[in-house]
Amino acid sequence: MDCLHVDPAAGDRAWVATGLLTAGLGAFAAAGAPKPPPYNLTLPVGWRDDPVAADAVAWRRTAARAAGLSHEVERLRLEWAAGDVLPRGGNRLTFAPASDEEFLTMFRRIAVGSLDDETRRNVAAMGVEAAAREELEFYLGCPGEREWWRLAYGPDGRLAGLAIPSATPYARNVGFLGVLPEFRGRAVRPDRAVGREDRQGSGEAQGADQQGGPGRGDRADL
């Protein structure tokens, strides 16, 4: 769930929004949804310092919590802006395509010790194997091109991680970046990183999301 608008003339906007979210969640449950969908807020950089934006978040957050969406996660969305100059490439990482089975193996390995909220929750709920398979199936089901996916190798030729340039129902993006546990904390990353920062949120809270179940945004298991 992404759009939640209440006319200011309606009075208590949080109260009205609570009813809307509750009705929406009820409709998903009645249709057989296995878990509540996330409620996402996509927010501009510096929104906490903008009184109007902060107020818009506040009544939505109050409504989400009242509707039972208590787990909140904030993610940063980084992107190149028009006119940004790409950094010069280096030789720290090389990339190569791989089979679905190889990516599944990588999802299993990356899940170990991950600090990503969604990965940790999925592993706790269903175990590493099921969580890895769900991750693979999700990205295979996205509208991005499967041939874009790459495994990353360090200068010594060892596997270091993976990158999934893709497209979600929202936009084209680098949907998933993952670094193997043994390479974490060593500044292993593509030389062409990202340039401008956005925040998003939801009822688990992505950017500032409030949600009842894990959401899907741009992910990084680093």
Side-chain angles (χ1 to χ4, degrees):
M1 297 188 290
D2 299 315
C3 298
L4 182 60
H5 299 286
V6 177
D7 189 331
D12 187 340
R13 299 171 86 180
W15 181 82
V16 175
T18 298
L20 292 172
L21 285 173
T22 301
L25 293 169
F28 275 100
K35 54 190 174 185
Y39 166 49
N40 300 290
L41 293 176
T42 300
L43 306 171
V45 174
W47 65 270
R48 288 183 173 87
D49 299 322
D50 180 343
V52 175
D55 179 69
V57 171
W59 64 261
R60 288 176 170 87
R61 176 179 278 153
T62 297
R65 289 174 175 168
L69 304 179
S70 58
H71 188 74
E72 190 169 312
V73 174
E74 184 168 322
R75 298 185 185 275
L76 297 179
R77 175 178 294 169
L78 305 173
E79 65 181 30
W80 288 112
D84 284 350
V85 178
L86 292 174
R88 298 178 64 180
N91 58 5
R92 285 179 296 178
L93 294 178
T94 57
F95 299 88
S99 68
D100 288 354
E101 190 60 38
E102 289 173 294
F103 273 97
L104 178 60
T105 298
M106 288 294 285
F107 277 125
R108 293 190 194 106
R109 295 175 64 186
I110 287 168
V112 176
S114 173
L115 296 180
D116 180 79
D117 183 82
E118 184 177 342
T119 299
R120 291 164 66 96
R121 283 161 58 86
N122 287 345
V123 169
M126 63 183 78
V128 170
E129 180 65 28
R133 290 189 177 278
E134 182 178 89
E135 206 76 78
L136 177 67
E137 290 169 5
F138 171 79
Y139 286 105
L140 285 174
C142 286
E145 299 292 335
R146 170 62 179 82
E147 63 188 32
W148 296 343
W149 297 18
R150 292 291 185 272
L151 295 185
Y153 296 83
D156 59 0
R158 290 193 299 157
L159 269 173
L162 64 81
I164 300 183
S166 186
T168 66
Y170 300 94
R172 293 186 181 277
N173 56 30
V174 180
F176 194 103
L177 291 176
V179 176
L180 290 175
E182 58 267 33
F183 283 89
R184 291 173 187 160
R186 296 169 53 183
V188 175
R189 63 186 183 278
D191 291 288
R192 297 196 172 189
V194 285
R196 191 170 62 99
E197 170 181 304
D198 286 331
R199 280 180 195 275
Q200 69 178 22
S202 82
E204 240 187 50
Q206 275 186 38
D209 306 303
Q210 211 86 30
Q211 62 189 40
R216 296 277 183 179
D218 304 334
R219 301 270 305 292
D221 278 298
L222 306 175

